[in-house]
Amino acid sequence: MVDVILGLQWGDEGKGKIVDYFAPKYDIIARFQGGPNAGHTLYVNGTKMVLHQIPSGIFHQDKINIIGNGVVLDPVTLKKECDAVAAMGVDVKKNLFISERTNIIIPSHRALDKASELAKGESKIGSTLKGIGPAYMDKTGRNALRVGDLLSKNFISKYITLRMKHQKILDSFNFNEDISEMETEFFEALEFLKSMNIINCEYFINDQISKGKKVLAEGAQGSMLDIDFGTFPFVTSSNTISAGVCTGLGIAPKLINEVFGITKAYCTRVGSGPFPTELHNEVGEELRKLGSEFGATTGRPRRCGWIDLVALKYTCMINGVTQIIMTKADILDTFKELELGIAYEMEGKEIDYVPFQLVGTPVAPIWKKMQGWNVDTTKMKSENELPATMKTYIDFINKFLGVPVKYVSNGPGRDQIVHV
Ligand code: GDP
Ligand code: IMO
Ligand code: MG
């Protein structure tokens, strides 16, 4: 069976920590989409690690970690990350497997990302500039290079063809950047990639499942950044939702069992685009400060606001979420009063759904106020220690969403999580 952990908001919900926490219960941890735009933070014996390409189960040495076909892979990032992980005693040659169908990000994808954002000016997406959009465009445009191609004799000529195609587009943008150094690094990293375990993921994973092995699929980004259901065009370029697990790993829908949806106890977004419950005031500042809300990949300050239950109800529906994990609850410890977005006001009308167009049609949240708990929760270990006001907050969310919050994370550490 396959369980899924994914983000229900605009990313950075704490997926890395939660995957690392649950990994011991599984045999295989697999990334199914996204690329180095992701930044998944976890703490290993007190040391902070941020993973961009490698699944967050990598520090559990008896587990197999897979980079699936739905991922876009930057070989340079992969190599650097493998070196960092190896320095912590992990044998990546033994427990990291890469699908031969995984698409490769080449240096000119990153140049294209920059050129495209520059051309958009004020209406830029706020991309991480890791080449994600252009790489997925080459996948759907049927031009991409895949990991399995590395073993073919005409890889270089395929690379040159693609590179030339990109150059024409870069020229049309009037974009000039010398990427020759990046290319040198890229070709070095390809040699490293070739030395890794490259597998046929769909046969491998289905074979393992048929032998009774348990798979945990790790999402990147968040459901509101999904290419189809997010706040388009301010989204990423992959299906971040549970459906992406099937196409991103080659497994059938009937194999998916639990879908763990992660939400912060409040909400953040990095990059441009609609964010109905964003706070442009001192409360937003306070959330950013207390939550250290700065991007794990780009270091940009994250936009902060209260929890948005309209968006969460939508993402629970689209993902078929069976359990919710609420992270960063401790960040609310010092607030006397909390607010929750429970509906939107759009063009003078109250609505309880995520409309087709949030871009250009501003919605104002309708708030519910609740009392804060005002105690330090970071050392609490069990449900009966949690303050009654926190339980009331969680109960309200449970009822609103119709999906139970089963875990509350109360700090970044591996052991800071309470089962409720
Ligand atoms: P991801 O992309 O979903 O894996 O999340 P990020 O790693 O980008 O951002 C989450 C941040 O919150 C990281 O710095 C984590 O260490 C931290 N974090 C995760 N869970 C908690 C929690 O419950 N409390 C606090 N204070 N920090 C947390
Ligand atoms: P994790 O996995 C938060 C955002 C970018 C930008 C938009 C498109 O750590 O939760 P892209 O680089 O994909 O072209 O950027 O999506 N974005 C993320 N925001 N967390 C992420 O990943 C993100 N990955 C992309 O900021 O707004
Ligand atoms: Mg992140």
Side-chain angles (χ1 to χ4, degrees):
M1 274 302 198
V2 181
D3 292 343
V4 187
I5 286 184
L6 47 74
L8 295 178
Q9 299 170 309
W10 281 274
D12 304 326
E13 296 89 350
K15 299 174 291 292
K17 168 189 160 156
I18 303 299
V19 169
D20 175 54
Y21 173 78
F22 278 106
K25 296 186 178 170
Y26 295 87
D27 303 290
I28 297 175
I29 294 90
R31 277 275 307 268
F32 59 93
Q33 48 70 232
N37 48 350
H40 295 180
T41 313
L42 42 103
Y43 282 83
V44 191
N45 307 324
T47 304
K48 179 177 172 173
M49 286 298 297
V50 181
L51 298 171
H52 303 286
Q53 291 276 193
I54 302 179
S56 301
I58 197 73
F59 294 102
H60 300 269
Q61 304 234 12
D62 50 336
K63 310 296 173 190
I64 290 172
N65 285 262
I66 298 181
I67 296 177
N69 58 279
V71 170
V72 285
L73 179 66
D74 182 335
V76 177
T77 308
L78 178 77
K79 182 174 183 304
K80 284 189 188 143
E81 210 161 284
C82 282
D83 290 347
V85 163
M88 296 185 70
V90 176
D91 185 356
V92 282
K93 300 255 157 118
K94 194 181 111 219
N95 65 358
L96 179 61
F97 291 30
I98 302 169
S99 165
E100 58 194 359
R101 294 182 190 274
T102 303
N103 286 233
I104 300 175
I105 300 177
I106 72 171
S108 43
H109 283 135
R110 289 169 62 179
L112 283 168
D113 222 352
K114 262 196 211 165
S116 157
E117 284 283 78
L118 272 175
K120 285 193 159 114
E122 291 271 283
S123 50
K124 68 172 184 184
I125 308 293
S127 166
T128 60
L129 303 178
K130 302 292 178 192
I132 307 298
Y136 278 115
M137 281 163 75
D138 274 335
K139 176 178 183 172
T140 52
R142 296 162 292 184
N143 296 313
L145 296 168
R146 304 193 289 176
V147 170
D149 294 329
L150 275 175
L151 310 172
S152 112
K153 271 197 226 87
N154 51 8
F155 179 82
I156 296 286
S157 73
K158 282 187 184 164
Y159 174 83
I160 293 169
T161 308
L162 187 57
R163 174 74 185 83
M164 301 294 273
K165 227 176 222 162
H166 290 171
Q167 194 55 49
K168 284 197 189 127
I169 310 172
L170 289 168
D171 290 345
S172 75
F173 276 120
N174 264 327
F175 183 84
N176 285 311
E177 188 183 75
D178 181 5
I179 59 167
S180 50
E181 249 176 60
M182 280 162 74
E183 282 187 304
T184 309
E185 227 187 344
F186 172 76
F187 279 101
E188 279 166 20
L190 285 186
E191 289 309 308
F192 172 79
L193 178 54
K194 269 192 217 165
S195 74
M196 299 293 292
N197 279 306
I198 297 170
I199 56 162
N200 179 306
C201 172
E202 58 277 22
Y203 278 111
F204 178 83
I205 206 161
N206 281 291
D207 183 48
Q208 294 288 314
I209 293 169
S210 70
K211 288 178 178 150
K213 302 286 184 196
K214 290 179 76 184
V215 177
L216 180 61
E218 172 180 1
Q221 290 76 58
S223 306
M224 292 303 284
L225 288 170
D226 180 88
I227 181 72
D228 283 280
F229 300 105
T231 44
F232 192 88
F234 299 98
V235 292
T236 191
S237 299
S238 63
N239 281 116
T240 59
I241 60 170
S242 54
V245 174
C246 298
T247 53
L249 294 175
I251 55 151
K254 67 176 182 191
L255 293 174
I256 294 183
N257 187 33
E258 295 287 342
V259 179
F260 298 100
I262 319 229
T263 173
K264 281 179 186 163
Y266 50 100
C267 193
T268 64
R269 166 163 209 169
V270 60
S272 330
F275 179 5
T277 60
E278 181 173 15
L279 297 169
H280 300 277
N281 57 17
E282 61 287 358
V283 179
E285 285 293 331
E286 190 72 357
L287 286 169
R288 182 174 311 114
K289 197 176 90 203
L290 294 170
S292 313
E293 294 295 355
F294 296 89
T297 297
T298 58
R300 293 177 293 175
R302 294 177 183 145
R303 300 155 63 192
C304 297
W306 296 120
I307 199 163
D308 181 343
L309 295 184
V310 182
L312 275 180
K313 196 162 185 173
Y314 178 69
T315 54
C316 281
M317 170 180 82
I318 280 166
N319 286 300
V321 172
T322 56
Q323 302 186 28
I324 291 175
I325 299 168
M326 180 181 283
T327 56
K328 301 192 98 161
D330 55 302
I331 302 305
L332 300 186
D333 281 356
T334 52
F335 287 87
K336 291 212 160 51
E337 190 173 64
L338 310 174
E339 297 191 49
L340 306 87
I342 52 164
Y344 299 147
E345 189 186 309
M346 190 173 77
E347 293 166 335
K349 276 200 213 103
E350 183 174 323
I351 58 167
D352 63 358
Y353 59 88
V354 174
F356 164 67
Q357 195 52 284
L358 275 170
V359 180
T361 322
V363 293
I366 293 172
W367 300 110
K368 175 176 173 66
K369 287 190 197 307
M370 290 184 88
Q371 204 191 325
W373 41 91
N374 249 261
V375 286
D376 178 359
T377 59
T378 54
K379 293 182 185 64
M380 296 181 179
K381 299 274 178 230
S382 66
E383 184 180 6
N384 54 22
E385 288 173 75
L386 297 179
T389 27
M390 185 194 256
K391 286 188 194 156
T392 311
Y393 184 74
I394 293 170
D395 267 355
F396 181 82
I397 294 171
N398 282 345
K399 291 207 179 82
F400 192 100
L401 301 177
V403 185
V405 174
K406 287 285 182 115
Y407 294 86
V408 177
S409 170
N410 54 344
R414 246 183 200 171
D415 55 343
Q416 287 176 296
I417 190 160
V418 179
H419 191 200
V420 293

